[in-house]
Amino acid sequence: MILVLWDIDRTLLYVGDIDRLVYRTVFEKVVGRAPERLPAKGTGVTMPVAVKELLTANGVPAEQVDAFARRVIGLMPGELERHRGKMLKDGLLLPGAVDSLTTVRKSPHLLPTVVTGNLQASAEIKLSVFDLIGLVDPTVGGYASDDPHRPALVSVAQQRAERVYGHSFDRSNTVIVGDSLEDVRTGREGGARVIGVSSGTTSAADLAGAGADHVITDLTDPSQLLRLIG
């Protein structure tokens, strides 16, 4: 059995500026003023890391960052939930995402779940909005709410999958499919092979240069993806 760890944002779907809207709104609720700078797009860093960067970049004193970060993080999923309709209107499924997810899900030797920089609640909102939740097993995924250090999420998912499915997982039978340099780093440091997808802000050359085992342009060829997963 092979554990397939899907990234979500810019690999499977794109929610436009909604994540940044959520950051802006929650920052203002917690800090009491609008942020002047927002997190960079498409970096793949975990949400807790991005929140601390957001607070620091907008002049929150260092001694207050941790407390403010906990409050911001606690409000993020609820604020995202408010924008379900806007996600459907302004967001989109990336080309081939549904077909590739379906193909992987139907393969008896593959176990699809997610490893993502989103909190689990936020990840499940995004997947459910686009009707993808049934194409992965979210209960054995790795999320930013488990650990802000993204490479640690590979082990989180591996251990959860082993407990549920009774099969052990390591680098030899774990694959990440993702679009960012953080996805590549997560696999290399966390213990998974990486299939880079140049559907986000990172070029195919940069994904390959960072150490992705394979790089594809998009998810429109499920048969190719299956061959690369193994």
Side-chain angles (χ1 to χ4, degrees), residues 2-134:
I2 298 175
L3 184 63
V4 181
L5 306 176
W6 290 97
D7 174 55
I8 295 176
D9 292 297
R10 298 176 185 265
T11 299
L12 298 175
L13 56 87
Y14 178 58
V15 297
D17 285 329
I18 293 171
D19 279 331
R20 292 165 71 79
L21 172 62
V22 170
Y23 278 116
R24 184 183 298 111
T25 302
V26 174
F27 179 96
E28 190 163 0
K29 285 181 179 178
V30 171
V31 180
R33 55 181 169 83
E36 296 180 2
R37 299 177 62 186
L38 292 171
K41 296 181 178 182
T43 63
V45 301
T46 62
M47 198 271 284
V49 171
V51 165
K52 289 190 174 182
E53 291 175 352
L54 170 70
L55 293 166
T56 300
N58 285 280
V60 173
E63 63 273 14
Q64 295 181 307
V65 165
D66 286 345
F68 278 5
R70 286 191 293 271
R71 292 172 60 192
V72 169
I73 290 166
L75 293 172
M76 294 283 281
E79 185 62 29
L80 182 65
E81 176 73 25
R82 293 181 58 245
H83 297 289
R84 278 179 172 265
K86 188 173 177 59
M87 268 190 273
L88 275 176
K89 178 185 176 187
D90 297 346
L92 54 87
L93 285 165
L94 293 184
V98 173
D99 286 344
S100 287
L101 280 164
T102 301
T103 299
V104 169
R105 184 64 166 173
K106 289 181 176 179
S107 300
H109 70 295
L110 302 182
L111 171 56
T113 185
V114 296
V115 160
T116 174
N118 288 281
L119 304 175
Q120 183 168 356
S122 298
E124 291 181 355
I125 289 168
K126 290 179 179 180
L127 291 171
S128 65
V129 163
F130 290 94
D131 291 327
L132 303 180
I133 198 81

Side-chain angles (χ1 to χ4, degrees), residues 3-5 46 111 113-116 118-120 137-165 167-171 174 176 186 189-192:
L3 184 63
V4 181
L5 306 176
T46 62
L111 171 56
T113 185
V114 296
V115 160
T116 174
N118 288 281
L119 304 175
Q120 183 168 356
D137 182 351
T139 68
V140 297
Y143 305 91
S145 39
D146 297 311
D147 196 311
H149 181 57
R150 191 157 179 170
L153 302 182
V154 175
S155 179
V156 169
Q158 289 169 333
Q159 291 174 29
R160 284 176 172 161
E162 180 174 357
R163 287 195 297 269
V164 173
Y165 292 93
H167 192 93
S168 62
F169 297 96
D170 55 26
R171 184 182 297 273
T174 306
I176 290 175
T186 296
E189 296 181 16

